[in-house]
Amino acid sequence: GAVVSQHPSWVICKSGTSVKIECRSLDFQATTMFWYRQFPKQSLMLMATSNEGSKATYEQGVEKDKFLINHASLTLSTLTVTSAHPEDSSFYICSARARSGGAKLFFGSGTQLSVL
Amino acid sequence: DAKTTQPPSMDCAEGRAANLPCNHSTISGNEYVYWYRQIHSQGPQYIIHGLKNNETNEMASLIITEDRKSSTLILPHATLRDTAVYYCIVRVWAATDKLIFGTGTRLQVFP
């Protein structure tokens, strides 16, 4: 089956620094990628939708200047948390939709971000 | 996307069948029923999907009622590794827009 690779699996950073999370579709072309955030014992919350070669669409309440999303190719999307603060600590998950895969999404394994 | 309703939690004994219900009374004729699950601290995993016929794969079976207003995901022989949150979502086949997760059902499989 289709595989989505997400790196890193976990990261600890100091407050004020920036962190980049990568999401790669390994064996298919992802026309659309989604970024989610999940707090403990809560459901996934969609942050933004990105289409290859175009600007990401952010959900209401998500700061686009803080969470920079780049989807430069059909196999790679990145999420950069800029000037991270402790409240940004969360589990971040990416997902990808294949060009010919219908509405089925494939998910990365997630990145646990801890900001000190 | 049509709204879905799932019980917040369920228990199941190991080796028994786990039957997870989902109500989607406002489902449209061209919307599919998708099931995903999320094991703790991992990304969601696709399980199965269907339109109106019952479906079965190596992971589970999906039973959709004739009026398509509800469905049941069946894990025929639950194991401890099936402990997870299960999400029922309805979507049109060619949906390219955002996938919104509800609260799902937290399935606890016990020895």
Side-chain angles (χ1 to χ4, degrees):
Chain A
V3 176
V4 173
S5 176
Q6 185 174 342
H7 292 281
S9 298
W10 58 270
V11 57
I12 301 173
C13 70
K14 293 182 179 181
S15 186
T17 60
S18 295
V19 174
K20 179 184 284 188
I21 302 170
E22 288 191 351
C23 181
R24 293 180 184 273
S25 56
L26 297 186
D27 51 0
F28 67 99
Q29 292 183 329
T31 53
T32 307
M33 286 189 170
F34 303 90
W35 287 94
Y36 294 85
R37 180 167 56 181
Q38 185 176 35
F39 293 106
K41 297 188 178 182
Q42 294 186 21
S43 187
L44 289 80
M45 183 182 73
L46 181 67
M47 299 176 66
T49 302
S50 73
N51 293 294
E52 185 264 339
S54 61
K55 290 184 178 180
T57 302
Y58 290 82
E59 294 300 300
Q60 190 173 6
V62 178
E63 300 174 58
K64 62 180 182 181
D65 294 331
K66 182 169 185 59
F67 299 99
L68 302 179
I69 293 173
N70 184 281
H71 191 166
S73 76
L74 284 172
T75 60
L76 173 65
S77 178
T78 60
L79 167 67
T80 301
V81 183
T82 62
S83 187
H85 291 285
E87 58 265 30
D88 299 324
S89 297
S90 186
F91 191 56
Y92 292 87
I93 306 167
C94 71
S95 69
R97 176 183 174 272
R99 185 191 294 273
S100 58
K104 186 166 67 175
L105 296 183
F106 302 95
F107 289 82
S109 55
T111 298
Q112 182 63 53
L113 170 63
S114 296
V115 184
L116 304 179
Chain B
D1 297 341
K3 179 179 173 60
T4 62
T5 305
Q6 298 177 254
S9 64
M10 294 183 65
D11 290 337
C12 178
E14 188 177 22
R16 297 280 190 161
N19 298 290
L20 293 93
C22 179
N23 285 320
H24 31 79
S25 58
T26 60
I27 191 170
S28 301
N30 62 345
E31 287 183 312
Y32 286 71
V33 180
Y34 286 82
W35 283 84
Y36 291 82
R37 74 178 182 184
Q38 185 180 24
I39 296 170
H40 182 63
S41 297
Q42 296 183 24
Q45 175 189 24
Y46 164 82
I47 301 174
I48 198 168
H49 74 277
L51 182 62
K52 54 183 178 181
N53 297 321
N54 297 337
E55 302 288 345
T56 296
N57 63 20
E58 65 279 3
M59 291 183 68
S61 294
L62 174 61
I63 308 298
I64 303 174
T65 58
E66 193 169 342
D67 63 7
R68 303 210 323 123
K69 293 185 177 182
S70 65
S71 61
T72 301
L73 178 74
I74 301 174
L75 308 179
H77 305 286
T79 70
L80 298 178
R81 288 177 294 180
D82 292 322
T83 293
V85 178
Y86 289 76
Y87 297 96
C88 167
I89 300 167
V90 292
R91 302 261 285 169
V92 297
W93 174 251
T96 58
D97 59 346
K98 53 194 177 186
L99 177 63
I100 303 297
F101 284 83
T103 54
T105 296
R106 186 173 296 274
L107 175 68
Q108 179 69 53
V109 181
F110 57 91

